[in-house]
């Protein structure tokens, strides 16, 4: 155990991961307002949307409109997901300066999610990383199914390490390790992170937990104790991947920030504003927030 970091950077994935799984179409104006509200909370990384195929994720078909209309604040990064060069070009056309590519540790999930093997997906990323380097665009990398796969079941740790290392070598500045279906528990999460950190520097790693089985905060804590200092979360606990059977919301940003503040870890975030933003979003979605902290404050 390496103790805990003194500060943590939250990567807010609500506008992308949070909304991509919503069944009813959310108005473009609501998505824009969500990102702009999040911008007032102190967040420095707000994943804005996804330039994937609109046939695969119809909810985010308005990615270009959303990205073009948001107020981009100085010092705040607005990464967007891109699965291929076509996505990269669409993102660049509206001025994206940070993108995220995504693969998985499980072949079965990758095939369902992006219709490619792991090797094929990494080959698709190569030209994106080359172009991004020339364009001075930062590239983040996701590895999904790091603690289990909805189709293949167990995912060997060596596969997680191999994919994370390949994506880091390719030039991704940060690798986010995703428990896509929220199946992990703290000891497994810690062991997974430790194994990856032996191949990729801890400073270049982030964790991304879905809360399907109520384990996400415990998993975040285990990984903080292991030394990670970047945590992905979604406002109001929204989220899920339409191609990961049984996946539900991400760990709620409000809940992570409450825990970090209670532990004396700096986040630079305004918890009250986060709570207000999450409650506003849940009212827009017509259901109660999944954030326990927001519910307790309401
Ligand atoms: P494909 O069908 O194999 O693609 O899908 P294709 O290259 O054969 O193209 C088919 C059609 O899609 C063509 O249109 C292309 O132009 C179009 P047509 O000629 O038939 O009219 N197309 C595009 N259109 C707009 N933007 C693009 C694009 N690419 C192709 N970028 C593909 C392959 C990768 C495109 C598809 O599988 C896809 O978009 N998948 C995305 C799935 C997704 O977004 N999943 C959720 C995000 S991942 C996640 O949530 C996990 C994460 O949160 C971490 C974790 O929790 O673990 C990140
Ligand atoms: Mg996710």
């Amino acid at each position: 155990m390496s103790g805990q970091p003194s500060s943590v950077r939250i990567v807010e994935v609500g506008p992308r991961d949070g909304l991509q799984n919503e069944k009813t179409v959310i108005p473009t104006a609501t998505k824009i307002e969500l990102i702009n509200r999040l911008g007032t909370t102190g967040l420095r990384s707000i994943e804005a949307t996804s330039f994937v195929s609109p046939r695969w994720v119809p909810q985010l078909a308005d990615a270009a409109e959303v990205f073009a209309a948001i107020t981009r604040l100085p010092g705040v990064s607005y990464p967007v997901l891109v699965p291929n060069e076509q996505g990269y070009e669409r993102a660049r056309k509206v001025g994206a300066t940070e993108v995220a590519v995504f693969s998985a540790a499980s072949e079965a999930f990758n095939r369902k999610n992006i219709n490619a093997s792991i090797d094929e997906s990494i080959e698709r990323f190569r030209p994106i990383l080359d172009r991004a380097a020339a364009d001075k665009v930062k590239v983040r990398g996701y590895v999904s199914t790091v603690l289990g796969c909805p189709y293949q079941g167990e995912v060997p740790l060596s596969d997680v390490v191999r994919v994370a290392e390949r994506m880091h070598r390719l030039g991704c500045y940060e690798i986010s390790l995703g428990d896509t279906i929220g199946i992990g528990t703290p000891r497994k999460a810690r062991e997974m992170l430790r194994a990856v950190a032996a191949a990729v520097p801890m400073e270049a790693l982030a964790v991304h937990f879905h809360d399907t089985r109520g384990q996400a905060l415990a998993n975040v804590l285990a990984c903080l104790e292991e030394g990670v200092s970047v945590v992905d979360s979604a406002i109001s606990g929204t989220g899920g991947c339409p191609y990961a059977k049984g996946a539900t919301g991400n760990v709620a940003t409000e809940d992570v920030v409450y825990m970090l503040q209670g532990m004396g870890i700096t986040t630079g975030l305004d918890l009250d504003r986060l709570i207000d933003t999450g409650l506003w979003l849940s009212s827009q979605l017509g259901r109660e927030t999944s954030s326990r902290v927001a519910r307790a404050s309401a």
Side-chain angles (χ1 to χ4, degrees):
M1 202 186 280
S2 11
Q4 66 180 46
S6 56
S7 69
V8 159
R9 178 164 59 89
I10 295 285
V11 177
E12 169 59 48
V13 297
R16 192 277 305 172
D17 199 332
L19 301 188
Q20 72 184 8
N21 208 31
E22 289 294 322
K23 300 290 171 274
T24 53
V25 177
I26 299 160
T28 302
T30 306
K31 296 171 182 171
I32 295 165
E33 186 169 350
L34 171 62
I35 296 166
N36 289 343
R37 282 177 181 249
L38 288 166
T40 69
T41 64
L43 283 160
R44 283 176 291 145
S45 299
I46 305 173
E47 198 172 65
T49 184
S50 195
F51 290 88
V52 294
S53 161
R55 275 209 263 134
W56 284 63
V57 183
Q59 180 65 260
L60 302 183
D62 58 359
E65 263 176 282
V66 169
F67 199 88
I70 56 175
T71 305
R72 284 190 280 155
L73 301 169
V76 181
S77 193
Y78 297 88
V80 295
L81 246 59
V82 298
N84 51 21
E85 276 192 276
Q86 195 176 338
Y88 180 80
E89 279 160 18
R90 288 176 58 213
R92 286 294 291 156
K93 222 181 216 172
V94 285
T97 55
E98 178 169 346
V99 299
V101 293
F102 51 107
S103 189
S106 132
E107 287 288 356
F109 173 72
N110 223 32
R111 179 64 63 193
K112 294 257 190 206
N113 194 39
I114 53 174
N115 199 21
S117 68
I118 295 170
D119 283 350
E120 283 165 352
S121 69
I122 299 215
E123 284 315 308
R124 277 183 198 167
F125 301 156
R126 218 175 273 285
I128 296 177
L129 276 133
D130 288 347
R131 292 173 69 168
D135 297 342
K136 296 196 167 44
V137 165
K138 287 175 80 178
V139 185
R140 195 170 196 248
Y142 279 103
V143 182
S144 286
T145 61
V146 298
L147 294 172
C149 168
Y151 310 107
Q152 147 185 338
E154 284 289 319
V155 175
L157 259 188
S158 54
D159 290 353
V160 180
V161 174
R162 189 170 43 86
V163 178
E165 195 177 14
R166 282 179 77 182
M167 289 176 75
H168 185 245
R169 282 227 183 107
L170 212 57
C172 295
Y173 79 94
E174 186 168 278
I175 305 294
S176 175
L177 301 164
D179 181 12
T180 319
I181 54 169
I183 198 167
T185 46
R187 185 175 295 180
K188 277 188 79 176
R190 183 195 299 279
E191 284 168 5
M192 181 278 299
L193 178 63
R194 190 176 290 169
V196 177
V200 178
M202 188 65 89
E203 303 74 53
L205 295 176
V207 290
H208 178 111
F209 289 107
H210 286 263
D211 200 29
T212 317
R213 293 169 182 79
Q215 304 296 301
L217 261 188
N219 291 338
V220 169
L221 176 60
C223 292
L224 290 172
E225 288 174 349
E226 199 56 39
V228 84
S229 62
V230 185
V231 177
D232 296 1
S233 61
I235 195 78
S236 198
T238 47
C241 173
Y243 296 98
K245 199 174 56 189
T248 63
N250 290 81
V251 67
T253 304
E254 303 91 311
D255 298 3
V256 176
V257 171
Y258 178 86
M259 181 178 82
L260 294 171
Q261 288 187 352
M263 292 170 68
I265 298 175
T266 307
T267 61
L269 296 175
D270 183 328
L271 181 56
D272 290 336
R273 285 198 178 183
L274 286 170
I275 290 172
D276 287 349
T277 304
L279 290 172
W280 171 82
L281 176 61
S282 56
S283 74
Q284 297 298 309
L285 298 177
R287 61 167 186 265
E288 203 188 2
T289 175
S290 299
S291 160
R292 305 288 291 268
V293 167
R295 273 194 244 158
S297 79

